[in-house]
mmCIF file of all heavy atoms in Angstrom:
data_model
loop_
_atom_site.group_PDB
_atom_site.id
_atom_site.type_symbol
_atom_site.label_atom_id
_atom_site.label_comp_id
_atom_site.label_asym_id
_atom_site.label_seq_id
_atom_site.Cartn_x
_atom_site.Cartn_y
_atom_site.Cartn_z
ATOM 1 N N LEU S 198 112.149 96.369 104.183
ATOM 2 C CA LEU S 198 110.729 96.279 104.663
ATOM 3 C C LEU S 198 110.120 97.623 104.464
ATOM 4 O O LEU S 198 110.402 98.597 105.137
ATOM 5 C CB LEU S 198 110.730 95.929 106.092
ATOM 6 C CG LEU S 198 111.485 94.663 106.517
ATOM 7 C CD1 LEU S 198 111.462 94.428 108.070
ATOM 8 C CD2 LEU S 198 111.013 93.415 105.757
ATOM 9 N N ILE S 199 109.217 97.747 103.482
ATOM 10 C CA ILE S 199 108.628 99.073 103.093
ATOM 11 C C ILE S 199 107.173 98.971 103.243
ATOM 12 O O ILE S 199 106.447 98.325 102.437
ATOM 13 C CB ILE S 199 109.037 99.428 101.647
ATOM 14 C CG1 ILE S 199 110.569 99.287 101.497
ATOM 15 C CG2 ILE S 199 108.589 100.890 101.326
ATOM 16 C CD1 ILE S 199 111.060 99.549 100.069
ATOM 17 N N HIS S 200 106.652 99.688 104.228
ATOM 18 C CA HIS S 200 105.194 99.737 104.494
ATOM 19 C C HIS S 200 104.594 100.921 103.754
ATOM 20 O O HIS S 200 105.292 101.780 103.219
ATOM 21 C CB HIS S 200 104.904 99.844 106.019
ATOM 22 C CG HIS S 200 105.571 98.777 106.788
ATOM 23 N ND1 HIS S 200 105.024 97.512 106.830
ATOM 24 C CD2 HIS S 200 106.665 98.782 107.549
ATOM 25 C CE1 HIS S 200 105.797 96.756 107.646
ATOM 26 N NE2 HIS S 200 106.797 97.515 108.060
ATOM 27 N N ALA S 201 103.231 100.951 103.772
ATOM 28 C CA ALA S 201 102.501 102.148 103.285
ATOM 29 C C ALA S 201 102.752 102.493 101.822
ATOM 30 O O ALA S 201 103.094 103.621 101.508
ATOM 31 C CB ALA S 201 102.689 103.315 104.193
ATOM 32 N N CYS S 202 102.674 101.470 100.894
ATOM 33 C CA CYS S 202 102.991 101.681 99.546
ATOM 34 C C CYS S 202 101.793 101.930 98.640
ATOM 35 O O CYS S 202 101.734 101.532 97.522
ATOM 36 C CB CYS S 202 103.851 100.557 98.980
ATOM 37 S SG CYS S 202 105.455 100.484 99.702
ATOM 38 N N GLY S 203 100.718 102.487 99.251
ATOM 39 C CA GLY S 203 99.531 102.826 98.432
ATOM 40 C C GLY S 203 99.246 104.307 98.655
ATOM 41 O O GLY S 203 100.105 105.142 98.821
ATOM 42 N N PHE S 204 97.919 104.659 98.672
ATOM 43 C CA PHE S 204 97.498 106.030 98.959
ATOM 44 C C PHE S 204 98.050 106.474 100.335
ATOM 45 O O PHE S 204 98.319 107.646 100.494
ATOM 46 C CB PHE S 204 96.039 106.170 98.811
ATOM 47 C CG PHE S 204 95.502 107.616 98.977
ATOM 48 C CD1 PHE S 204 95.881 108.514 98.053
ATOM 49 C CD2 PHE S 204 94.682 107.968 99.992
ATOM 50 C CE1 PHE S 204 95.472 109.836 98.147
ATOM 51 C CE2 PHE S 204 94.229 109.287 100.161
ATOM 52 C CZ PHE S 204 94.639 110.209 99.208
ATOM 53 N N ASP S 205 98.026 105.583 101.280
ATOM 54 C CA ASP S 205 98.924 105.715 102.443
ATOM 55 C C ASP S 205 100.186 104.952 102.037
ATOM 56 O O ASP S 205 100.202 103.751 101.849
ATOM 57 C CB ASP S 205 98.347 105.049 103.642
ATOM 58 C CG ASP S 205 97.150 105.750 104.279
ATOM 59 O OD1 ASP S 205 97.208 106.993 104.234
ATOM 60 O OD2 ASP S 205 96.217 105.075 104.773
ATOM 61 N N SER S 206 101.359 105.656 101.844
ATOM 62 C CA SER S 206 101.597 107.116 102.039
ATOM 63 C C SER S 206 102.411 107.635 100.896
ATOM 64 O O SER S 206 103.105 108.644 101.006
ATOM 65 C CB SER S 206 102.324 107.324 103.355
ATOM 66 O OG SER S 206 101.673 106.870 104.512
ATOM 67 N N ILE S 207 102.272 107.014 99.693
ATOM 68 C CA ILE S 207 103.157 107.300 98.591
ATOM 69 C C ILE S 207 102.938 108.801 98.122
ATOM 70 O O ILE S 207 103.916 109.517 97.869
ATOM 71 C CB ILE S 207 103.048 106.331 97.442
ATOM 72 C CG1 ILE S 207 103.925 105.155 97.798
ATOM 73 C CG2 ILE S 207 103.400 106.933 96.065
ATOM 74 C CD1 ILE S 207 103.911 104.031 96.725
ATOM 75 N N PRO S 208 101.710 109.330 97.872
ATOM 76 C CA PRO S 208 101.617 110.616 97.433
ATOM 77 C C PRO S 208 102.322 111.669 98.361
ATOM 78 O O PRO S 208 102.951 112.637 97.866
ATOM 79 C CB PRO S 208 100.104 110.952 97.383
ATOM 80 C CG PRO S 208 99.531 109.588 97.253
ATOM 81 C CD PRO S 208 100.398 108.668 98.020
ATOM 82 N N TYR S 209 102.225 111.465 99.691
ATOM 83 C CA TYR S 209 102.812 112.393 100.600
ATOM 84 C C TYR S 209 104.324 112.212 100.681
ATOM 85 O O TYR S 209 105.102 113.184 100.616
ATOM 86 C CB TYR S 209 102.167 112.099 102.005
ATOM 87 C CG TYR S 209 100.700 111.953 101.912
ATOM 88 C CD1 TYR S 209 100.105 110.700 101.841
ATOM 89 C CD2 TYR S 209 99.869 113.094 101.831
ATOM 90 C CE1 TYR S 209 98.747 110.577 101.683
ATOM 91 C CE2 TYR S 209 98.506 112.988 101.710
ATOM 92 C CZ TYR S 209 97.941 111.707 101.629
ATOM 93 O OH TYR S 209 96.601 111.614 101.444
ATOM 94 N N ASP S 210 104.759 110.943 100.841
ATOM 95 C CA ASP S 210 106.190 110.691 100.978
ATOM 96 C C ASP S 210 106.963 111.111 99.751
ATOM 97 O O ASP S 210 107.997 111.829 99.834
ATOM 98 C CB ASP S 210 106.385 109.172 101.272
ATOM 99 C CG ASP S 210 107.819 108.845 101.754
ATOM 100 O OD1 ASP S 210 108.422 109.712 102.405
ATOM 101 O OD2 ASP S 210 108.271 107.716 101.495
ATOM 102 N N LEU S 211 106.495 110.710 98.555
ATOM 103 C CA LEU S 211 107.250 111.034 97.314
ATOM 104 C C LEU S 211 106.930 112.457 96.901
ATOM 105 O O LEU S 211 107.776 113.169 96.284
ATOM 106 C CB LEU S 211 106.926 110.086 96.246
ATOM 107 C CG LEU S 211 107.358 108.630 96.469
ATOM 108 C CD1 LEU S 211 107.054 107.803 95.246
ATOM 109 C CD2 LEU S 211 108.836 108.566 96.765
ATOM 110 N N GLY S 212 105.695 113.012 97.268
ATOM 111 C CA GLY S 212 105.406 114.359 96.923
ATOM 112 C C GLY S 212 106.296 115.341 97.727
ATOM 113 O O GLY S 212 106.721 116.376 97.167
ATOM 114 N N VAL S 213 106.543 115.074 98.927
ATOM 115 C CA VAL S 213 107.406 115.900 99.778
ATOM 116 C C VAL S 213 108.877 115.814 99.228
ATOM 117 O O VAL S 213 109.579 116.822 99.092
ATOM 118 C CB VAL S 213 107.397 115.531 101.244
ATOM 119 C CG1 VAL S 213 108.573 116.185 102.070
ATOM 120 C CG2 VAL S 213 106.046 115.888 101.826
ATOM 121 N N LEU S 214 109.347 114.618 98.874
ATOM 122 C CA LEU S 214 110.668 114.442 98.269
ATOM 123 C C LEU S 214 110.717 115.275 96.995
ATOM 124 O O LEU S 214 111.729 116.006 96.766
ATOM 125 C CB LEU S 214 110.941 113.001 97.950
ATOM 126 C CG LEU S 214 112.254 112.661 97.231
ATOM 127 C CD1 LEU S 214 113.469 113.069 98.008
ATOM 128 C CD2 LEU S 214 112.328 111.242 96.825
ATOM 129 N N PHE S 215 109.748 115.173 96.141
ATOM 130 C CA PHE S 215 109.697 115.919 94.883
ATOM 131 C C PHE S 215 109.772 117.467 95.200
ATOM 132 O O PHE S 215 110.495 118.171 94.464
ATOM 133 C CB PHE S 215 108.398 115.601 94.148
ATOM 134 C CG PHE S 215 108.155 116.329 92.867
ATOM 135 C CD1 PHE S 215 108.871 115.936 91.695
ATOM 136 C CD2 PHE S 215 107.342 117.445 92.764
ATOM 137 C CE1 PHE S 215 108.675 116.570 90.454
ATOM 138 C CE2 PHE S 215 107.182 118.093 91.545
ATOM 139 C CZ PHE S 215 107.796 117.647 90.398
ATOM 140 N N THR S 216 109.087 117.895 96.197
ATOM 141 C CA THR S 216 109.069 119.305 96.582
ATOM 142 C C THR S 216 110.425 119.721 97.094
ATOM 143 O O THR S 216 110.989 120.820 96.784
ATOM 144 C CB THR S 216 107.981 119.568 97.589
ATOM 145 O OG1 THR S 216 106.714 119.103 97.085
ATOM 146 C CG2 THR S 216 107.824 121.129 97.860
ATOM 147 N N VAL S 217 111.000 118.938 98.015
ATOM 148 C CA VAL S 217 112.336 119.186 98.582
ATOM 149 C C VAL S 217 113.347 119.432 97.427
ATOM 150 O O VAL S 217 114.181 120.312 97.520
ATOM 151 C CB VAL S 217 112.770 118.086 99.497
ATOM 152 C CG1 VAL S 217 114.248 118.140 99.826
ATOM 153 C CG2 VAL S 217 111.951 118.122 100.848
ATOM 154 N N GLU S 218 113.231 118.613 96.397
ATOM 155 C CA GLU S 218 114.219 118.657 95.338
ATOM 156 C C GLU S 218 114.077 119.951 94.511
ATOM 157 O O GLU S 218 114.975 120.275 93.709
ATOM 158 C CB GLU S 218 114.068 117.425 94.396
ATOM 159 C CG GLU S 218 114.562 116.168 95.152
ATOM 160 C CD GLU S 218 114.310 114.902 94.373
ATOM 161 O OE1 GLU S 218 113.443 114.921 93.392
ATOM 162 O OE2 GLU S 218 114.966 113.857 94.694
ATOM 163 N N GLN S 219 112.984 120.679 94.671
ATOM 164 C CA GLN S 219 112.837 121.954 93.989
ATOM 165 C C GLN S 219 113.377 123.139 94.854
ATOM 166 O O GLN S 219 113.353 124.260 94.406
ATOM 167 C CB GLN S 219 111.335 122.250 93.663
ATOM 168 C CG GLN S 219 110.535 121.072 93.185
ATOM 169 C CD GLN S 219 111.072 120.436 91.952
ATOM 170 O OE1 GLN S 219 111.480 121.025 90.943
ATOM 171 N NE2 GLN S 219 111.130 119.073 91.950
ATOM 172 N N LEU S 220 113.756 122.844 96.083
ATOM 173 C CA LEU S 220 114.219 123.899 97.000
ATOM 174 C C LEU S 220 115.720 123.880 97.208
ATOM 175 O O LEU S 220 116.374 122.893 96.903
ATOM 176 C CB LEU S 220 113.489 123.665 98.327
ATOM 177 C CG LEU S 220 111.976 123.976 98.370
ATOM 178 C CD1 LEU S 220 111.361 123.329 99.605
ATOM 179 C CD2 LEU S 220 111.748 125.449 98.275
ATOM 180 N N PRO S 221 116.306 124.948 97.729
ATOM 181 C CA PRO S 221 117.751 125.007 97.913
ATOM 182 C C PRO S 221 118.258 123.941 98.862
ATOM 183 O O PRO S 221 117.518 123.473 99.795
ATOM 184 C CB PRO S 221 117.998 126.423 98.534
ATOM 185 C CG PRO S 221 116.764 127.221 98.099
ATOM 186 C CD PRO S 221 115.627 126.242 98.050
ATOM 187 N N GLU S 222 119.480 123.552 98.662
ATOM 188 C CA GLU S 222 120.144 122.542 99.514
ATOM 189 C C GLU S 222 120.758 123.200 100.795
ATOM 190 O O GLU S 222 121.168 124.339 100.701
ATOM 191 C CB GLU S 222 121.167 121.769 98.780
ATOM 192 C CG GLU S 222 120.597 120.894 97.658
ATOM 193 C CD GLU S 222 121.653 119.959 97.096
ATOM 194 O OE1 GLU S 222 122.354 119.263 97.929
ATOM 195 O OE2 GLU S 222 121.778 119.860 95.840
ATOM 196 N N GLY S 223 120.866 122.426 101.842
ATOM 197 C CA GLY S 223 121.602 122.846 103.028
ATOM 198 C C GLY S 223 121.001 123.961 103.826
ATOM 199 O O GLY S 223 121.723 124.620 104.580
ATOM 200 N N VAL S 224 119.715 124.222 103.698
ATOM 201 C CA VAL S 224 119.040 125.263 104.417
ATOM 202 C C VAL S 224 117.789 124.691 105.165
ATOM 203 O O VAL S 224 117.313 123.614 104.715
ATOM 204 C CB VAL S 224 118.598 126.453 103.501
ATOM 205 C CG1 VAL S 224 119.819 127.087 102.823
ATOM 206 C CG2 VAL S 224 117.585 125.945 102.452
ATOM 207 N N PRO S 225 117.266 125.329 106.202
ATOM 208 C CA PRO S 225 116.057 124.906 106.783
ATOM 209 C C PRO S 225 114.862 124.878 105.767
ATOM 210 O O PRO S 225 114.740 125.823 104.975
ATOM 211 C CB PRO S 225 115.805 125.889 107.890
ATOM 212 C CG PRO S 225 117.154 126.453 108.213
ATOM 213 C CD PRO S 225 117.883 126.499 106.891
ATOM 214 N N LEU S 226 114.075 123.849 105.794
ATOM 215 C CA LEU S 226 113.012 123.683 104.841
ATOM 216 C C LEU S 226 111.720 123.443 105.672
ATOM 217 O O LEU S 226 111.710 122.696 106.647
ATOM 218 C CB LEU S 226 113.216 122.539 103.898
ATOM 219 C CG LEU S 226 114.429 122.607 102.982
ATOM 220 C CD1 LEU S 226 114.563 121.352 102.152
ATOM 221 C CD2 LEU S 226 114.451 123.816 102.146
ATOM 222 N N SER S 227 110.605 124.032 105.202
ATOM 223 C CA SER S 227 109.278 123.798 105.819
ATOM 224 C C SER S 227 108.308 123.486 104.624
ATOM 225 O O SER S 227 108.235 124.198 103.673
ATOM 226 C CB SER S 227 108.845 125.053 106.500
ATOM 227 O OG SER S 227 107.495 124.880 106.942
ATOM 228 N N ILE S 228 107.520 122.438 104.790
ATOM 229 C CA ILE S 228 106.614 121.976 103.816
ATOM 230 C C ILE S 228 105.204 121.717 104.470
ATOM 231 O O ILE S 228 105.182 121.084 105.516
ATOM 232 C CB ILE S 228 107.069 120.740 103.045
ATOM 233 C CG1 ILE S 228 108.324 121.106 102.221
ATOM 234 C CG2 ILE S 228 105.988 120.203 102.090
ATOM 235 C CD1 ILE S 228 108.931 119.932 101.425
ATOM 236 N N SER S 229 104.199 122.166 103.836
ATOM 237 C CA SER S 229 102.787 121.873 104.316
ATOM 238 C C SER S 229 102.087 121.164 103.170
ATOM 239 O O SER S 229 102.148 121.575 102.015
ATOM 240 C CB SER S 229 102.089 123.199 104.631
ATOM 241 O OG SER S 229 102.708 123.815 105.742
ATOM 242 N N GLY S 230 101.409 120.076 103.510
ATOM 243 C CA GLY S 230 100.616 119.294 102.558
ATOM 244 C C GLY S 230 99.161 119.392 102.782
ATOM 245 O O GLY S 230 98.725 119.304 103.947
ATOM 246 N N TYR S 231 98.362 119.614 101.719
ATOM 247 C CA TYR S 231 96.882 119.779 101.814
ATOM 248 C C TYR S 231 96.270 118.780 100.883
ATOM 249 O O TYR S 231 96.340 118.934 99.649
ATOM 250 C CB TYR S 231 96.481 121.173 101.439
ATOM 251 C CG TYR S 231 97.162 122.274 102.301
ATOM 252 C CD1 TYR S 231 98.376 122.814 101.899
ATOM 253 C CD2 TYR S 231 96.608 122.764 103.443
ATOM 254 C CE1 TYR S 231 99.033 123.781 102.649
ATOM 255 C CE2 TYR S 231 97.221 123.798 104.195
ATOM 256 C CZ TYR S 231 98.440 124.270 103.734
ATOM 257 O OH TYR S 231 99.072 125.258 104.545
ATOM 258 N N ILE S 232 95.538 117.813 101.419
ATOM 259 C CA ILE S 232 94.955 116.735 100.529
ATOM 260 C C ILE S 232 93.443 116.956 100.419
ATOM 261 O O ILE S 232 92.722 117.290 101.357
ATOM 262 C CB ILE S 232 95.186 115.352 101.187
ATOM 263 C CG1 ILE S 232 94.650 114.250 100.226
ATOM 264 C CG2 ILE S 232 94.608 115.213 102.569
ATOM 265 C CD1 ILE S 232 95.388 114.081 98.974
ATOM 266 N N ARG S 233 92.979 116.856 99.164
ATOM 267 C CA ARG S 233 91.589 116.772 98.854
ATOM 268 C C ARG S 233 91.344 115.539 98.014
ATOM 269 O O ARG S 233 92.197 115.142 97.268
ATOM 270 C CB ARG S 233 91.148 118.025 97.970
ATOM 271 C CG ARG S 233 91.290 119.329 98.702
ATOM 272 C CD ARG S 233 90.820 120.533 97.868
ATOM 273 N NE ARG S 233 91.557 120.551 96.598
ATOM 274 C CZ ARG S 233 90.965 120.523 95.399
ATOM 275 N NH1 ARG S 233 89.665 120.315 95.296
ATOM 276 N NH2 ARG S 233 91.718 120.549 94.284
#
């Protein structure tokens, strides 16, 4: 059951995943998203 599969919330959900994958593993991570 997968909700929010449009502009809510795919850019944010997958954008954060994409960003996490560019960062080191096993350490504290902080991400801020800014939408225009």
Side-chain angles (χ1 to χ4, degrees):
L198 309 178
I199 310 174
H200 303 284
C202 292
F204 185 63
D205 288 324
S206 298
I207 279 181
Y209 316 96
D210 194 29
L211 295 184
V213 169
L214 174 64
F215 180 79
T216 307
V217 164
E218 290 175 342
Q219 320 303 315
L220 290 165
E222 294 189 47
V224 299
L226 301 179
S227 172
I228 296 179
S229 297
Y231 304 87
I232 184 67
R233 296 181 302 120

